[in-house]
Amino acid sequence: MQLRYNFRVYPTPGQRVALAQAFGCARVVYNDALAARETARRDGQPYIKDAELSKALTEAKGTPERAWLSEVSSVVLQQALTDLNTAYRNFFASITGKRRGARVGPPRFRSRKDNRQSIRFTRNARFAVTAGGKLRLPKVGELAVRWSRELPSEPSSVTIIKDASGRYFASFVVQTDDQPLAPVACEVGIDLGLSTFAVLSDGKTIASPRFLRRAERKLRKAQQSLSRKEKGSANRAKARLKVAKAHAKVSDTHRDWAHKQSTTIIRDNQAVYVEDLCVKGLARTRLAKSVHDAGWGMFTRMLEEKADRYGRTFARVDRWFPSSQLCSECGALSGKKPLHVREWTCACGAVHDRDLNAARNILAAGRAERLNACGGTVSLSA
C-alpha cells in the first residue's frame, strides 16, 4: 500500500527563490505542452504523443527564449509533463465512462497567481534525507524538515508544496505493509447529522465541533480588511496572507479532529456502516454552510481508508434506505417525519430517539447486505 507522509519544511530565503524558480519553470513547461496539444487539436492535427513533448522540451532548453529551463532539475520539468498526461488520461476516462465519480474537465492552464504551487522529485533526481535529518534536493539545497514521525520505507518520490498561506510542505510517497488490528466483536452503524455530528448505534454520540462557525467572526473581519485594500498594494498582499492563514488554521484543526475520531471508531469496531449521503447535493441547499462545516465527506473517506489499511470492514448503506422511518425493534415503517421530530413512539410501544434509531437501522441494513453477499440469512432486525 502506498501512503503519503507530509512534513513541514522551512526553506531559507535563498532556497525560497530557488523553489519559486522551480515552480515557475514547471508551470511554463506544463502550459507550453498544453498549448501545443490545443493548437494541434484546433488545426486538426494528430494528438501529440508524450515522447514528442519530451523531445520538444529538450529542444526548448537550447533556445534563447527557454534557456533558463536548464537552471532547475530536469526531473521537475519531466514530472510537469507527466502531470499533464495524467490530466488528459483522467479527462478521456471520464468522458468515456471508464472513470467513476464526478465528471472531470479538460486540463487548464496554470497561473503564477494560483494559491497552491508544487513540484515533484522522483528517485531519478537523487533527492535524499541526510544523516542530519535534512532533505537534500537538486539545485535547491538542504531543506530543514520538522519530522513528526519516521518514514516506514525509502520514499519513491517527494512533492514540495507551497500553500496559500505561504507554508512549505514535503509530501513523501512511501510503500507500507497493511497493519491489521486484532479482531474485535463490535460492529457499529453511524448516523451523521448537523446538530450532533454522529450518533453511533451503541449509543455513543460525537458532538459537532463547528470549527468554521466558531472562526466565522474572525474570518469575516479578515475578509473585510482584505476587501478594503487597494489591488496590487503591499498591504493587500499582507491582508490576503492573513485570510489564508485563518482558513488554513480552521482546515488543519478540522482535519486533525476527523483523523482522531475516525481512528477511534476503526480501532474499536470490526465493521463500520454509514449512510451514503449525497454531500454535493446537500451543499447546494440552504444548509450549505453547515454541511461544509460538518465535513462528512472527509470523515467517511478517512473511515474507508483506515478500514482498508487496518483490516476492518467498511460499507455504505443506500441513501434511499428509510433509516429514520423504520422501527429498529419491530421493523415497522412509520412514514416520513419532519426534522423537528427528534423522538417518536412506534405502534409496538417502543420509544425511539430519531438519530439513535437511524444508526441502529443503518447497522442492521449494513449487516444484512454483508450477510447477503456472503450467502447468509438476510434480516433487518438489530
Side-chain angles (χ1 to χ4, degrees), residues 298-314:
M298 176 176 62
F299 179 72
T300 54
R301 185 174 63 252
M302 289 181 180
L303 286 175
E304 186 172 10
E305 292 171 353
K306 292 176 182 180
D308 183 56
R309 181 181 181 187
Y310 296 116
R312 302 304 202 201
T313 299
F314 176 85

Side-chain angles (χ1 to χ4, degrees), residues 23-308:
F23 292 146
C25 290
R27 183 176 62 251
V28 168
V29 169
Y30 183 95
N31 289 342
D32 285 351
L34 178 56
R37 281 183 170 167
E38 286 293 304
T39 301
R41 181 185 61 83
R42 287 194 299 267
D43 296 344
Q45 300 176 1
Y47 181 79
I48 301 178
K49 298 182 179 179
D50 301 348
E52 297 176 9
L53 291 177
S54 182
K55 182 180 179 180
L57 171 60
T58 303
E59 294 174 352
K61 291 182 180 180
T63 63
E65 295 82 6
R66 293 288 188 265
W68 38 267
L69 290 176
S70 301
E71 299 177 7
V72 302
S73 172
S74 60
V75 173
V76 169
L77 307 182
Q78 289 295 334
Q79 290 302 305
L81 295 180
T82 301
D83 290 342
L84 178 63
N85 297 333
T86 301
Y88 268 108
R89 283 198 300 270
N90 292 339
F91 170 60
F92 293 144
S94 180
I95 61 177
T96 56
K98 295 180 180 179
R99 179 186 173 94
R100 298 176 60 186
R103 181 64 63 90
V104 177
R108 296 183 296 181
F109 290 98
R110 293 178 176 177
S111 171
R112 63 184 179 85
K113 295 182 180 180
D114 288 343
N115 292 331
R116 184 182 184 276
Q117 303 285 343
S118 66
I119 52 176
R120 185 167 61 255
F121 297 86
T122 61
R123 286 176 178 170
N124 294 336
R126 297 182 179 179
F127 69 89
V129 178
T130 66
K134 292 189 176 183
L135 175 61
R136 182 186 297 124
L137 299 177
K139 298 190 178 182
V140 176
E142 296 184 355
L143 299 177
V145 185
R146 295 297 180 266
W147 301 99
S148 57
R149 52 183 171 173
E150 294 183 358
L151 294 175
S153 63
E154 285 293 323
S156 59
S157 68
V158 60
T159 303
I160 305 300
I161 304 167
K162 181 185 178 184
D163 67 4
S165 60
R167 301 179 300 177
Y168 291 83
F169 296 90
S171 179
F172 296 90
V173 175
V174 296
Q175 189 72 30
T176 63
D177 298 328
D178 292 344
Q179 303 172 1
L181 297 171
V184 294
C186 300
E187 297 185 359
V188 69
I190 303 177
D191 179 65
L192 299 173
L194 294 177
S195 57
T196 301
F197 178 77
V199 176
L200 281 59
S201 57
D202 57 7
K204 297 179 181 177
T205 61
I206 302 176
S208 181
R210 298 182 180 178
F211 294 110
L212 181 61
R213 292 287 185 181
R214 292 192 323 209
E216 196 170 18
R217 185 170 181 271
K218 182 178 181 180
L219 292 171
R220 182 172 62 251
K221 286 184 173 294
Q223 189 65 49
Q224 288 174 345
S225 177
L226 172 63
S227 66
R228 297 188 184 104
K229 301 297 187 292
E230 183 180 354
K231 291 186 177 181
S233 65
N235 283 337
R236 184 177 178 84
K238 294 178 183 178
R240 187 206 63 79
L241 192 61
K242 187 175 181 180
V243 172
K245 287 182 177 180
H247 279 287
K249 184 176 180 179
V250 173
S251 177
D252 292 347
T253 307
H254 197 172
R255 189 180 301 107
D256 177 70
W257 178 86
H259 269 298
K260 292 176 180 177
Q261 297 295 336
S262 58
T263 299
T264 300
I265 292 174
I266 292 297
R267 184 183 62 238
D268 296 343
N269 298 279
Q270 186 64 32
V272 178
Y273 307 102
V274 299
E275 190 175 7
D276 185 20
L277 296 173
C278 182
V279 179
K280 183 177 291 187
L282 292 171
R284 291 195 291 264
T285 66
R286 60 185 180 87
L287 299 174
K289 184 180 291 186
S290 297
V291 171
H292 285 299
D293 193 9
W296 295 328
M298 176 176 62
F299 179 72
T300 54
R301 185 174 63 252
M302 289 181 180
L303 286 175
E304 186 172 10
E305 292 171 353
K306 292 176 182 180
D308 183 56

